Amino acid sequence: QRQLAESGGGLAQAGGSLRLSCVAQRSIFSSFIRNTMGWYRQAPGSEREPVASITGDNSRNYADSVKGRFTISRDNGKKTAYLQMNNLRPEDTAVYYCNMITYDGQTFWGQGRQVTVSS
């Protein structure tokens, strides 16, 4: 069983919205709440880049390109992180990856979800 299971994403028109979810399947609650969750994306021909992150105490960071449009959140009871993407642009088209950094320094990645925004 993979540690991080992603869902959501898909196809949207410019100006539309999509949501991504990421469940930490093998984490227990007491450790998950201490982990930092994040989202990265990788467009064709480009390097993987950070999009947003949220710490265990809900401190959030965003890439400048998504500030005011994307919102990262977490539900510790469900061991899940979310990325709500509003006002999507064609340049948001990419494969989005969930990332988890544990309190003891381990890093995990999701399998990636395609997000495609048409103009």
Side-chain angles (χ1 to χ4, degrees), residues 26-96:
R26 301 203 331 253
S27 292
I28 59 175
F29 174 80
S30 60
S31 61
F32 180 78
I33 59 175
R34 300 163 66 185
N35 298 342
T36 294
M37 302 299 295
W39 291 94
Y40 286 67
R41 67 186 181 187
Q42 187 167 18
S46 298
E47 293 187 356
R48 192 173 296 188
E49 62 178 10
V51 175
S53 65
I54 183 168
T55 65
D57 60 358
N58 288 323
S59 176
R60 296 170 171 84
N61 279 292
Y62 296 95
D64 288 343
S65 59
V66 307
K67 282 180 180 177
R69 300 187 299 120
F70 290 11
T71 301
I72 190 170
S73 61
R74 62 193 294 160
D75 183 333
N76 292 328
K78 296 181 178 179
K79 298 180 295 179
T80 300
Y82 304 95
L83 185 68
Q84 177 67 41
M85 302 179 288
N86 297 330
N87 193 19
L88 283 161
R89 303 168 180 169
E91 54 264 39
D92 294 319
T93 295
V95 177
Y96 284 70

Coordinates of all heavy atoms in Angstrom, one line a residue, residues 26-96:
R26 N -0.7 5.2 5.4 CA 0.0 4.4 6.4 C 0.4 5.2 7.6 O 1.2 4.6 8.5 CB 1.2 3.7 5.7 CG 0.8 2.8 4.6 CD 1.8 1.7 4.3 NE 3.2 2.1 4.6 CZ 4.1 2.4 3.7 NH1 3.8 2.5 2.4 NH2 5.4 2.7 4.1
S27 N 0.0 6.4 7.7 CA 0.4 7.2 8.9 C -0.7 7.0 10.0 O -1.8 6.7 9.7 CB 0.4 8.7 8.5 OG 1.5 8.9 7.7
I28 N -0.2 7.2 11.2 CA -1.2 7.2 12.3 C -1.4 8.6 12.7 O -0.5 9.5 12.5 CB -0.7 6.4 13.5 CG1 0.7 6.9 14.0 CG2 -0.6 4.9 13.1 CD1 1.2 6.2 15.3
F29 N -2.5 8.9 13.4 CA -2.9 10.3 13.7 C -1.8 11.0 14.5 O -1.5 12.2 14.1 CB -4.2 10.3 14.5 CG -4.6 11.6 14.9 CD1 -5.2 12.5 14.1 CD2 -4.3 12.0 16.3 CE1 -5.6 13.8 14.5 CE2 -4.7 13.3 16.7 CZ -5.3 14.2 15.8
S30 N -1.2 10.4 15.4 CA -0.3 11.1 16.3 C 1.0 11.5 15.6 O 1.7 12.4 16.0 CB 0.1 10.2 17.5 OG 0.7 9.0 17.0
S31 N 1.3 10.8 14.5 CA 2.5 11.2 13.7 C 2.1 12.2 12.6 O 2.8 13.1 12.3 CB 3.2 10.0 13.2 OG 2.4 9.3 12.3
F32 N 0.9 11.9 12.0 CA 0.5 12.8 10.9 C 0.4 14.2 11.3 O 0.8 15.1 10.5 CB -0.9 12.3 10.3 CG -1.4 13.1 9.2 CD1 -0.9 12.9 7.9 CD2 -2.3 14.1 9.3 CE1 -1.3 13.7 6.8 CE2 -2.8 14.8 8.3 CZ -2.3 14.6 7.0
I33 N -0.1 14.5 12.4 CA -0.3 15.9 12.9 C 1.0 16.6 13.0 O 1.0 17.8 13.1 CB -1.1 16.0 14.2 CG1 -0.4 15.2 15.3 CG2 -2.5 15.4 14.0 CD1 -1.1 15.4 16.7
R34 N 2.1 15.9 13.0 CA 3.4 16.5 13.1 C 4.1 16.6 11.8 O 5.2 17.2 11.7 CB 4.3 15.7 14.1 CG 3.7 15.5 15.5 CD 4.4 14.4 16.3 NE 5.8 14.7 16.5 CZ 6.6 13.8 17.1 NH1 6.1 12.6 17.5 NH2 7.8 14.1 17.3
N35 N 3.5 16.1 10.7 CA 4.2 16.1 9.4 C 3.8 17.3 8.6 O 2.7 17.9 8.8 CB 3.8 14.9 8.6 CG 4.2 13.6 9.3 OD1 5.1 13.6 10.2 ND2 3.6 12.5 8.9
T36 N 4.7 17.8 7.7 CA 4.4 18.8 6.8 C 3.9 18.2 5.5 O 4.5 17.3 5.0 CB 5.6 19.7 6.5 OG1 6.0 20.4 7.8 CG2 5.4 20.7 5.5
M37 N 2.8 18.8 5.0 CA 2.2 18.3 3.7 C 2.4 19.4 2.7 O 2.3 20.6 3.0 CB 0.7 18.0 3.9 CG 0.4 17.0 5.0 SD 1.1 15.4 4.6 CE 0.2 14.9 3.1
G38 N 2.6 18.9 1.5 CA 2.8 19.9 0.4 C 2.4 19.4 -0.9 O 2.1 18.2 -1.1
W39 N 2.3 20.3 -1.9 CA 2.0 20.0 -3.2 C 3.0 20.6 -4.1 O 3.4 21.7 -3.9 CB 0.6 20.5 -3.6 CG -0.5 19.9 -2.9 CD1 -1.2 20.2 -1.8 CD2 -1.2 18.7 -3.4 NE1 -2.1 19.4 -1.4 CE2 -2.2 18.4 -2.4 CE3 -1.0 17.8 -4.4 CZ2 -3.0 17.3 -2.5 CZ3 -1.9 16.7 -4.5 CH2 -2.9 16.4 -3.6
Y40 N 3.4 19.8 -5.1 CA 4.4 20.2 -6.1 C 3.7 20.0 -7.5 O 2.7 19.2 -7.6 CB 5.7 19.4 -6.1 CG 6.6 19.7 -4.9 CD1 6.2 19.5 -3.6 CD2 7.8 20.3 -5.1 CE1 7.1 19.8 -2.5 CE2 8.7 20.6 -4.1 CZ 8.3 20.4 -2.8 OH 9.1 20.7 -1.8
R41 N 4.3 20.6 -8.5 CA 3.8 20.3 -9.8 C 4.9 20.3 -10.9 O 5.9 20.9 -10.6 CB 2.7 21.3 -10.3 CG 3.2 22.7 -10.5 CD 2.1 23.7 -10.7 NE 2.5 25.1 -10.9 CZ 1.7 26.1 -11.1 NH1 0.4 25.9 -11.0 NH2 2.2 27.3 -11.3
Q42 N 4.7 19.5 -11.9 CA 5.7 19.4 -13.0 C 5.0 19.5 -14.3 O 4.2 18.6 -14.7 CB 6.5 18.1 -12.8 CG 7.6 18.0 -13.8 CD 8.6 16.9 -13.4 OE1 8.2 16.0 -12.7 NE2 9.8 16.9 -13.9
A43 N 5.3 20.5 -15.1 CA 4.8 20.7 -16.4 C 5.7 20.0 -17.4 O 6.9 19.8 -17.1 CB 4.6 22.2 -16.7
P44 N 5.2 19.6 -18.6 CA 6.1 19.0 -19.6 C 7.3 19.9 -19.9 O 7.2 21.0 -20.1 CB 5.2 18.9 -20.8 CG 3.8 18.8 -20.2 CD 3.8 19.7 -19.1
G45 N 8.5 19.2 -19.8 CA 9.7 19.9 -20.1 C 10.2 20.8 -19.0 O 11.2 21.5 -19.2
S46 N 9.6 20.8 -17.9 CA 10.0 21.7 -16.8 C 10.3 20.8 -15.5 O 10.0 19.7 -15.5 CB 8.8 22.6 -16.4 OG 8.5 23.5 -17.5
E47 N 11.0 21.5 -14.6 CA 11.4 20.8 -13.4 C 10.2 20.8 -12.4 O 9.3 21.7 -12.5 CB 12.6 21.5 -12.7 CG 13.9 21.3 -13.5 CD 15.1 21.9 -12.8 OE1 14.9 22.4 -11.7 OE2 16.2 21.7 -13.3
R48 N 10.2 19.9 -11.5 CA 9.1 19.9 -10.5 C 9.3 21.1 -9.6 O 10.4 21.4 -9.2 CB 9.2 18.6 -9.6 CG 8.0 18.3 -8.8 CD 8.1 17.0 -8.1 NE 8.1 15.9 -9.1 CZ 8.0 14.6 -8.7 NH1 7.9 14.3 -7.4 NH2 7.9 13.7 -9.6
E49 N 8.2 21.8 -9.3 CA 8.3 23.0 -8.5 C 7.3 23.0 -7.3 O 6.2 22.4 -7.5 CB 8.0 24.2 -9.4 CG 6.6 24.3 -10.0 CD 6.4 25.5 -10.8 OE1 7.3 26.3 -11.0 OE2 5.2 25.7 -11.2
P50 N 7.6 23.6 -6.2 CA 6.7 23.6 -5.1 C 5.5 24.6 -5.4 O 5.7 25.6 -6.0 CB 7.6 24.2 -3.9 CG 8.7 24.9 -4.6 CD 8.9 24.3 -5.9
V51 N 4.4 24.2 -4.9 CA 3.2 24.9 -5.1 C 2.7 25.5 -3.8 O 2.4 26.7 -3.7 CB 2.0 24.1 -5.7 CG1 0.7 24.9 -5.8 CG2 2.5 23.6 -7.1
A52 N 2.6 24.6 -2.8 CA 2.0 25.1 -1.5 C 2.4 24.0 -0.4 O 2.7 22.9 -0.8 CB 0.5 25.2 -1.5
S53 N 2.5 24.5 0.8 CA 2.8 23.6 1.9 C 2.1 24.0 3.2 O 1.7 25.2 3.3 CB 4.3 23.5 2.2 OG 4.8 24.7 2.6
I54 N 1.8 23.1 4.1 CA 1.2 23.4 5.3 C 1.8 22.5 6.4 O 1.9 21.3 6.3 CB -0.4 23.1 5.2 CG1 -1.1 23.5 6.5 CG2 -0.7 21.7 4.8 CD1 -2.6 23.6 6.4
T55 N 2.2 23.1 7.5 CA 2.8 22.4 8.6 C 1.8 21.9 9.5 O 0.6 22.1 9.4 CB 3.7 23.4 9.4 OG1 3.0 24.4 10.0 CG2 4.8 24.0 8.5
G56 N 2.2 21.1 10.5 CA 1.3 20.5 11.5 C 0.5 21.6 12.3 O -0.6 21.3 12.7
D57 N 1.1 22.8 12.4 CA 0.4 23.8 13.1 C -0.3 24.8 12.2 O -0.5 26.0 12.5 CB 1.3 24.6 14.1 CG 2.5 25.2 13.4 OD1 2.6 25.1 12.2 OD2 3.3 25.9 14.1
N58 N -0.5 24.3 10.9 CA -1.2 25.1 9.9 C -0.6 26.3 9.4 O -1.2 27.3 9.0 CB -2.7 25.4 10.4 CG -3.5 24.2 10.5 OD1 -3.5 23.3 9.6 ND2 -4.4 24.1 11.5
S59 N 0.7 26.4 9.5 CA 1.4 27.5 8.8 C 1.5 27.1 7.3 O 2.0 26.1 6.9 CB 2.8 27.6 9.4 OG 3.6 28.6 8.7
R60 N 1.1 28.1 6.5 CA 1.0 27.8 5.0 C 2.0 28.7 4.3 O 2.3 29.8 4.6 CB -0.4 28.1 4.6 CG -1.5 27.3 5.1 CD -2.8 27.8 4.8 NE -3.9 26.9 5.1 CZ -4.5 26.8 6.3 NH1 -4.1 27.6 7.3 NH2 -5.5 26.0 6.5
N61 N 2.5 28.1 3.2 CA 3.3 28.8 2.2 C 2.8 28.5 0.8 O 2.4 27.4 0.5 CB 4.8 28.4 2.3 CG 5.5 29.1 3.5 OD1 5.7 30.3 3.4 ND2 5.8 28.4 4.5
Y62 N 2.9 29.5 0.0 CA 2.5 29.4 -1.4 C 3.5 29.9 -2.4 O 4.2 30.9 -2.1 CB 1.2 30.1 -1.6 CG 0.0 29.6 -0.9 CD1 -0.4 30.2 0.4 CD2 -0.8 28.6 -1.3 CE1 -1.4 29.7 1.1 CE2 -1.9 28.1 -0.6 CZ -2.2 28.7 0.6 OH -3.3 28.2 1.3
A63 N 3.5 29.3 -3.5 CA 4.3 29.9 -4.6 C 3.6 31.2 -5.1 O 2.4 31.3 -5.0 CB 4.4 28.9 -5.8
D64 N 4.4 32.2 -5.5 CA 3.9 33.5 -5.9 C 2.8 33.3 -7.0 O 1.8 34.0 -7.1 CB 5.0 34.4 -6.4 CG 5.8 34.9 -5.2 OD1 5.4 34.8 -4.0 OD2 6.9 35.4 -5.5
S65 N 3.1 32.3 -7.9 CA 2.2 32.1 -9.0 C 0.8 31.7 -8.7 O -0.1 31.8 -9.5 CB 2.8 31.2 -10.0 OG 3.0 29.9 -9.4
V66 N 0.6 31.1 -7.5 CA -0.7 30.6 -7.1 C -1.4 31.4 -5.9 O -2.5 31.1 -5.5 CB -0.7 29.1 -6.8 CG1 0.0 28.3 -7.9 CG2 0.1 28.9 -5.4
K67 N -0.6 32.3 -5.3 CA -1.2 33.1 -4.2 C -2.5 33.7 -4.6 O -2.6 34.4 -5.6 CB -0.2 34.1 -3.7 CG 1.0 33.5 -2.9 CD 1.9 34.6 -2.4 CE 3.1 34.1 -1.6 NZ 4.1 35.1 -1.2
G68 N -3.5 33.6 -3.7 CA -4.8 34.2 -3.9 C -5.7 33.4 -4.8 O -6.9 33.7 -4.9
R69 N -5.2 32.3 -5.3 CA -6.0 31.4 -6.2 C -6.1 30.0 -5.6 O -7.1 29.4 -5.7 CB -5.4 31.3 -7.6 CG -5.3 32.7 -8.3 CD -4.9 32.5 -9.8 NE -3.6 31.9 -9.9 CZ -3.4 30.8 -10.6 NH1 -4.4 30.1 -11.1 NH2 -2.2 30.3 -10.7
F70 N -5.0 29.5 -5.0 CA -5.0 28.1 -4.5 C -5.0 28.2 -3.0 O -4.4 29.1 -2.4 CB -3.7 27.4 -4.9 CG -3.6 27.1 -6.4 CD1 -4.5 27.6 -7.3 CD2 -2.6 26.2 -6.8 CE1 -4.5 27.2 -8.6 CE2 -2.5 25.9 -8.2 CZ -3.5 26.4 -9.1
T71 N -5.6 27.2 -2.3 CA -5.6 27.1 -0.9 C -5.3 25.7 -0.5 O -5.9 24.7 -0.9 CB -7.0 27.5 -0.3 OG1 -7.4 28.8 -0.7 CG2 -7.0 27.4 1.2
I72 N -4.3 25.6 0.4 CA -3.9 24.3 0.9 C -4.5 24.2 2.3 O -4.6 25.1 3.1 CB -2.4 24.1 1.0 CG1 -2.0 22.6 1.3 CG2 -1.7 25.1 1.9 CD1 -0.6 22.3 1.2
S73 N -5.0 23.0 2.6 CA -5.6 22.7 3.9 C -5.4 21.3 4.3 O -4.9 20.5 3.5 CB -7.1 23.0 3.9 OG -7.8 22.2 3.0
R74 N -5.7 20.9 5.5 CA -5.5 19.6 6.0 C -6.6 19.2 7.0 O -7.1 20.1 7.7 CB -4.1 19.4 6.6 CG -3.9 20.2 7.8 CD -2.4 20.2 8.2 NE -1.9 18.9 8.7 CZ -0.7 18.5 8.7 NH1 0.3 19.3 8.3 NH2 -0.4 17.2 9.1
D75 N -7.0 17.9 7.0 CA -7.9 17.4 8.0 C -7.1 16.3 8.7 O -7.0 15.2 8.2 CB -9.1 16.9 7.3 CG -10.2 16.3 8.2 OD1 -9.8 15.9 9.3 OD2 -11.4 16.3 7.9
N76 N -6.6 16.6 9.9 CA -5.8 15.6 10.6 C -6.6 14.3 10.9 O -6.0 13.2 10.9 CB -5.2 16.2 11.8 CG -4.2 17.3 11.4 OD1 -3.5 17.2 10.4 ND2 -4.1 18.3 12.3
G77 N -7.8 14.5 11.2 CA -8.6 13.3 11.6 C -8.7 12.3 10.4 O -8.8 11.1 10.6
K78 N -8.7 12.8 9.2 CA -8.8 12.0 8.0 C -7.4 11.8 7.4 O -7.3 11.1 6.4 CB -9.7 12.6 7.0 CG -11.1 12.8 7.4 CD -12.0 13.4 6.3 CE -13.4 13.5 6.7 NZ -14.3 14.1 5.6
K79 N -6.4 12.3 8.1 CA -5.0 12.2 7.6 C -4.9 12.6 6.1 O -4.3 11.9 5.3 CB -4.5 10.7 7.8 CG -4.4 10.3 9.2 CD -3.9 8.9 9.4 CE -4.8 7.9 8.8 NZ -4.3 6.5 8.9
T80 N -5.5 13.7 5.8 CA -5.7 14.1 4.4 C -5.3 15.6 4.2 O -5.6 16.4 5.1 CB -7.1 13.9 3.9 OG1 -7.5 12.5 4.0 CG2 -7.3 14.4 2.5
A81 N -4.6 15.9 3.1 CA -4.3 17.2 2.7 C -5.1 17.5 1.4 O -5.3 16.6 0.6 CB -2.8 17.4 2.5
Y82 N -5.4 18.8 1.3 CA -6.2 19.2 0.1 C -5.5 20.4 -0.6 O -4.8 21.2 0.1 CB -7.6 19.6 0.5 CG -8.4 18.6 1.3 CD1 -8.4 18.6 2.7 CD2 -9.1 17.6 0.6 CE1 -9.1 17.7 3.4 CE2 -9.8 16.6 1.3 CZ -9.8 16.7 2.7 OH -10.5 15.7 3.4
L83 N -5.8 20.5 -1.9 CA -5.4 21.7 -2.6 C -6.6 22.1 -3.4 O -7.0 21.5 -4.4 CB -4.2 21.4 -3.5 CG -3.6 22.7 -4.2 CD1 -3.0 23.6 -3.2 CD2 -2.6 22.3 -5.3
Q84 N -7.2 23.2 -3.0 CA -8.3 23.8 -3.7 C -7.7 24.8 -4.7 O -7.0 25.7 -4.3 CB -9.2 24.5 -2.7 CG -10.4 25.2 -3.4 CD -11.3 24.2 -4.1 OE1 -11.7 23.2 -3.6 NE2 -11.8 24.6 -5.3
M85 N -8.0 24.6 -6.0 CA -7.5 25.4 -7.0 C -8.6 26.2 -7.7 O -9.5 25.6 -8.3 CB -6.7 24.6 -8.0 CG -5.6 23.8 -7.4 SD -4.7 22.7 -8.6 CE -6.0 21.4 -8.9
N86 N -8.6 27.5 -7.5 CA -9.6 28.4 -8.1 C -9.0 29.3 -9.2 O -7.8 29.5 -9.2 CB -10.3 29.2 -7.1 CG -11.0 28.4 -6.0 OD1 -11.5 27.3 -6.3 ND2 -11.1 28.9 -4.8
N87 N -9.9 29.8 -10.0 CA -9.4 30.7 -11.0 C -8.2 30.1 -11.8 O -7.2 30.8 -12.0 CB -9.0 32.1 -10.4 CG -8.9 33.2 -11.5 OD1 -9.3 33.1 -12.6 ND2 -8.1 34.2 -11.1
L88 N -8.4 28.9 -12.3 CA -7.3 28.2 -12.9 C -6.9 28.9 -14.2 O -7.8 29.5 -14.9 CB -7.7 26.8 -13.2 CG -7.7 25.9 -11.9 CD1 -8.5 24.6 -12.1 CD2 -6.2 25.5 -11.6
R89 N -5.7 28.7 -14.6 CA -5.1 29.3 -15.8 C -4.5 28.2 -16.6 O -4.0 27.2 -16.0 CB -4.0 30.3 -15.4 CG -4.5 31.5 -14.6 CD -3.3 32.3 -14.0 NE -3.7 33.4 -13.2 CZ -2.9 34.1 -12.4 NH1 -1.6 33.8 -12.5 NH2 -3.4 35.1 -11.7
P90 N -4.4 28.4 -17.9 CA -3.7 27.3 -18.7 C -2.3 27.0 -18.2 O -1.9 25.8 -18.3 CB -3.7 27.9 -20.1 CG -4.9 28.8 -20.1 CD -5.0 29.4 -18.7
E91 N -1.6 28.0 -17.7 CA -0.2 27.7 -17.2 C -0.2 26.9 -15.9 O 0.9 26.5 -15.5 CB 0.5 29.0 -17.0 CG -0.1 30.0 -16.1 CD -0.9 31.1 -16.9 OE1 -1.6 30.7 -17.9 OE2 -0.9 32.2 -16.5
D92 N -1.4 26.6 -15.3 CA -1.4 25.7 -14.2 C -1.4 24.2 -14.6 O -1.3 23.3 -13.8 CB -2.7 25.9 -13.4 CG -2.7 27.3 -12.7 OD1 -1.6 27.7 -12.2 OD2 -3.8 28.0 -12.7
T93 N -1.5 24.0 -15.9 CA -1.5 22.6 -16.4 C -0.2 21.9 -16.1 O 0.9 22.4 -16.4 CB -1.7 22.6 -17.9 OG1 -3.0 23.1 -18.2 CG2 -1.6 21.2 -18.5
A94 N -0.3 20.8 -15.4 CA 0.8 20.1 -14.9 C 0.4 18.8 -14.2 O -0.8 18.6 -14.0 CB 1.7 20.9 -13.9
V95 N 1.3 17.9 -13.9 CA 1.1 16.8 -13.0 C 1.4 17.3 -11.6 O 2.5 17.9 -11.4 CB 2.0 15.6 -13.4 CG1 1.7 14.5 -12.3 CG2 1.7 15.1 -14.8
Y96 N 0.4 17.1 -10.7 CA 0.5 17.6 -9.4 C 0.9 16.4 -8.4 O 0.2 15.4 -8.5 CB -0.7 18.3 -8.9 CG -0.9 19.7 -9.5 CD1 -1.1 19.9 -10.9 CD2 -0.8 20.8 -8.7 CE1 -1.3 21.1 -11.4 CE2 -0.9 22.1 -9.2 CZ -1.1 22.2 -10.6 OH -1.2 23.5 -11.1

